[in-house]
């Protein structure tokens, strides 16, 4: 235990003592101020007091404002700059709640810091004005979101005021001086290359840049919509095929003394699952199974996918607009919340299925319990089910192989394996995983290999609703009651869905 504490303390001290490696301190040429920025920023050679550039291409440039020494002078400069930018079709960003464009704060030295944000052709700009050591400075930031720009400006550290008398004397001098507003413009601050003549007042040249994240998101959304349209057209085609090309059922000559064929049909109208079954001898049964865990998994996963798509759409809208509206931000946040909730519900359903195993009950025509099948044990590769009569007598065992493209089951009596049931078509299985059962066209069918060299088939009648028949060439090879329970478990456990599913 003592060694672990020493390792944790050493790791903490290492992180504490090396935190400076993640940031750099930049100082203006006259040491009037400093700014502490992440290591992704680098100094650029220029005639400015300080010029910085980020690895992402963003820039930050500081210049001094001549003959400006107080807050009143800064207000006049900002007012002029906002009017000039508006005339040149720049959009000045205002607070959605207060309607104000200029953000106001102050440093620990009580010097003011004023800033405002503006944009054009999806390019973001921030203009900041502050006082340090009795002088005024202007900082222009390009290619950084407004929230991040405000965060960067907060790292500026002005020159501390050491002598209060000098400060008062300096303020009295400032009152007698007028600010020359034409000496600085924002257009001087948004070019990385050195500018030889600031008086030339070059206009801002904005290059329309494509955000790589936006481009990737648009491609993703376009691919999703193409996939959705393809699925819709495929479903429509499958529906038309089912209407105009009905499959004919091949008549089966059954032995009147044989319980085969067994037939079953899915009943709807309840959250629980129900199957109606009957054999060739006229016996009728109802099989049922709860599926609340499955409903939570399906509902949670569907909610997650739907709101993830909605979130992607609003993310693209937000990236296209440098300053999205409050409604877009709110809907984006809500979609993120609902997608997370859907994922939680899906995980809860998986846990519920794991904690409460499947339990199948089969009732006779009188409504009395005839058989029950309960999942027992926990295994990653196999599922085990035991079949019992209403009095609790075990008459058989079922095993299902997991993580297999073709569904595979085995049936055991009390002594040995008596049958193996495996899905018939690999191609149909693969297409069903991708497209769903397409109105019954791709529903699973099974081959039966039983003892005494007996062969049979579980045939899915191509309907939208689940409907099947069980045939066996030698009825004595498999007890009809075990096969009845197995077919119930098979079509309640391995349900084909109309949408893509891993099962």
């Amino acid at each position: 235990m003592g060694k672990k504490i020493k390792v944790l303390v050493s790791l903490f001290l290492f992180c504490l003592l090396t935190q400076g490696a993640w940031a750099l301190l930049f100082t203006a040429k006259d040491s009037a101020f400093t700014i502490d920025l992440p290591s992704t920023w680098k100094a650029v050679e220029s005639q400015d007091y300080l010029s910085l550039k980020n690895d992402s291409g963003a820039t930050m440039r500081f210049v001094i404002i001549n003959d400006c020494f107080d807050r009143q002078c800064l207000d006049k400069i900002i007012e002029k700059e906002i009017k000039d930018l508006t005339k040149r079709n720049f959009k000045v960003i205002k607070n959605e709640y207060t309607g104000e464009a200029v953000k106001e704060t102050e440093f620990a030295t009580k010097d003011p810091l004023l800033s405002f944000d503006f944009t054009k052709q999806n390019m973001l700009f921030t203009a900041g004005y502050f006082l340090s050591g009795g002088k005024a400075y202007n900082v222009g930031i390009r290619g950084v979101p407004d929230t991040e720009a405000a965060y960067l400006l907060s790292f500026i550290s002005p020159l501390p005021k050491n002598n209060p008398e000098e400060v008062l004397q300096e303020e009295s001098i400032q009152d007698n001086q007028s600010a020359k507003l034409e000496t600085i413009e924002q257009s001087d601050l948004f070019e990385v290359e050195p500018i030889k003549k600031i008086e030339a007042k070059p206009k801002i040249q904005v290059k329309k840049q494509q955000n790589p994240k936006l481009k990737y998101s648009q491609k993703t959304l376009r691919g999703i919509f193409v996939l959705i349209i393809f699925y819709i057209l495929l479903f429509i085609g499958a529906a038309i095929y089912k209407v105009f090309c009905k499959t004919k059922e091949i008549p089966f000559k059954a032995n009147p003394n044989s319980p085969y064929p067994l037939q079953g049909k899915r009943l709807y109208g309840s959250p629980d699952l129900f199957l109606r079954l009957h054999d060739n001898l006229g016996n009728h049964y109802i099989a049922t199974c709860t599926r609340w865990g499955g409903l939570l998994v399906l509902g949670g996963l569907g909610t997650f996918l739907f709101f993830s798509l909605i979130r992607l759409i609003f993310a693209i809208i937000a990236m296209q607009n440098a300053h999205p509206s409050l409604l877009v931000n709110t809907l984006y946040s809500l979609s993120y919340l609902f997608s997370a909730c859907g994922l939680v519900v899906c995980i809860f359903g998986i846990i519920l299925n794991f904690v409460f195993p499947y339990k199948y009950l089969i009732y006779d025509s009188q409504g009395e319990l005839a058989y029950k099948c309960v999942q027992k044990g926990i295994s990653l590769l196999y599922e085990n089910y035991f079949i019992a009569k209403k009095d609790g007598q075990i008459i058989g065992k079922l095993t299902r192989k997991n993580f297999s493209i073709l569904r595979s089951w085995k049936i055991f009596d009390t002594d040995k394996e008596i049958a193996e049931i495996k899905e018939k078509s690999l191609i149909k299985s693969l297409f069903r995983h991708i497209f769903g059962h397409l109105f019954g066209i791709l529903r699973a069918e099974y081959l039966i290999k039983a003892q005494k060299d007996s062969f049979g088939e579980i045939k899915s009648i191509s309907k939208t609703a689940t409907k099947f028949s069980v045939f066996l060439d030698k009825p004595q090879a498999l007890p009809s009651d075990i096969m009845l329970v197995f077919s119930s478990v098979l079509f309640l456990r391995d349900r084909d869905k109309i949408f893509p599913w891993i099962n």
Side-chain angles (χ1 to χ4, degrees), residues 236-253:
I236 294 174
I240 294 174
Y241 173 81
K242 292 296 297 181
V243 172
F244 295 100
C245 301
K246 294 184 178 180
T247 56
K248 296 181 179 180
E249 297 183 18
I250 301 175
F252 178 80
K253 294 180 180 181

Side-chain angles (χ1 to χ4, degrees), residues 281-349:
L281 301 177
N283 299 312
H284 294 267
Y285 301 90
I286 293 292
T288 181
C289 172
T290 58
R291 58 164 179 170
W292 289 107
L295 286 176
L296 291 176
V297 172
L298 181 61
L301 184 60
T303 302
F304 171 75
L305 294 176
F306 175 77
F307 283 103
S308 295
L309 177 61
I310 297 299
R311 180 160 54 92
L312 177 61
I313 294 174
F314 282 112
I316 292 176
I317 295 175
M319 284 188 288
Q320 286 179 338
N321 188 355
H323 294 270
S325 64
L326 179 63
L327 178 61
V328 172
N329 287 329
T330 302
L331 293 177
Y332 176 83
S333 300
L334 288 176
S335 62
Y336 189 88
L337 175 64
F338 288 138
S339 61
C341 291
L343 185 60
V344 171
V345 172
C346 178
I347 295 175
F348 179 74

Side-chain angles (χ1 to χ4, degrees), residues 123-161:
M123 179 59 71
L124 301 171
F125 302 94
T126 297
Y129 302 82
F130 64 95
L131 295 177
S132 176
K135 298 179 182 180
Y137 296 88
N138 182 206
V139 53
I141 304 176
R142 181 181 67 177
V144 176
D146 55 343
T147 54
E148 185 178 348
Y151 183 68
L152 295 174
L153 291 175
S154 66
F155 287 111
I156 299 175
S157 298
L159 185 69
K161 299 178 180 179

Side-chain angles (χ1 to χ4, degrees), residues 299-473:
L301 184 60
T303 302
F304 171 75
L305 294 176
F306 175 77
F307 283 103
S308 295
L309 177 61
I310 297 299
R311 180 160 54 92
L312 177 61
I313 294 174
F314 282 112
I316 292 176
I317 295 175
M319 284 188 288
Q320 286 179 338
N321 188 355
H323 294 270
S325 64
L326 179 63
L327 178 61
V328 172
N329 287 329
T330 302
L331 293 177
Y332 176 83
S333 300
L334 288 176
S335 62
Y336 189 88
L337 175 64
F338 288 138
S339 61
C341 291
L343 185 60
V344 171
V345 172
C346 178
I347 295 175
F348 179 74
I350 295 174
I351 295 174
L352 192 65
N353 284 336
F354 184 77
V355 176
F356 299 98
Y358 288 101
K359 184 177 182 180
Y360 307 90
L361 303 175
I362 293 90
Y363 298 88
D364 58 20
S365 58
Q366 304 299 322
E368 296 182 358
L369 180 64
Y371 307 96
K372 60 182 178 180
C373 183
V374 181
Q375 182 180 358
K376 292 291 185 179
I378 299 174
S379 176
L380 182 63
L381 300 179
Y382 289 92
E383 296 177 9
N384 298 313
Y385 301 87
F386 288 91
I387 303 173
K389 293 183 177 180
K390 60 180 178 180
D391 58 359
Q393 178 186 356
I394 302 295
I395 62 174
K397 175 186 174 183
L398 310 176
T399 62
R400 181 187 187 275
K401 185 179 180 181
N402 295 329
F403 307 107
S404 176
I405 297 178
L406 293 176
R407 298 169 182 168
S408 180
W409 291 77
K410 289 184 179 181
I411 302 178
F412 300 82
D413 61 8
T414 54
D415 298 324
K416 61 182 182 304
E417 178 183 333
I418 58 176
E420 181 181 5
I421 293 89
K422 194 170 184 179
E423 194 173 350
K424 187 176 180 180
S425 174
L426 175 62
I427 296 177
K428 184 181 288 188
S429 174
L430 292 174
F431 277 97
R432 188 183 63 252
H433 282 75
I434 301 173
F435 303 111
H437 65 69
L438 292 181
F439 299 97
I441 298 175
L442 299 177
R443 282 195 184 277
E445 295 182 336
Y446 303 85
L447 292 177
I448 304 173
K449 293 182 180 180
Q451 59 183 353
K452 300 180 181 180
D453 294 329
S454 178
F455 291 90
E457 183 179 4
I458 302 177
K459 185 174 180 60
S460 178
I461 302 172
S462 185
K463 300 289 185 181
T464 302
T466 303
K467 190 176 181 180
F468 62 92
S469 295
V470 182
F471 303 96
L472 195 64
D473 60 348

Side-chain angles (χ1 to χ4, degrees), residues 71 78 82 92-105 114-117 146:
R71 165 66 182 273
I78 293 175
I82 290 178
V92 179
I93 308 302
K94 296 183 179 181
N95 189 296
E96 294 183 355
Y97 298 100
T98 63
E100 297 179 352
V102 181
K103 304 173 186 177
E104 301 182 12
T105 185
L114 308 176
S115 65
F116 64 90
D117 307 295
D146 55 343

Side-chain angles (χ1 to χ4, degrees), residues 387 398 409 411 421 458 482-490:
I387 303 173
L398 310 176
W409 291 77
I411 302 178
I421 293 89
I458 302 177
I482 293 181
M483 198 62 196
L484 175 77
V485 176
F486 168 75
S487 59
S488 302
V489 175
L490 176 64

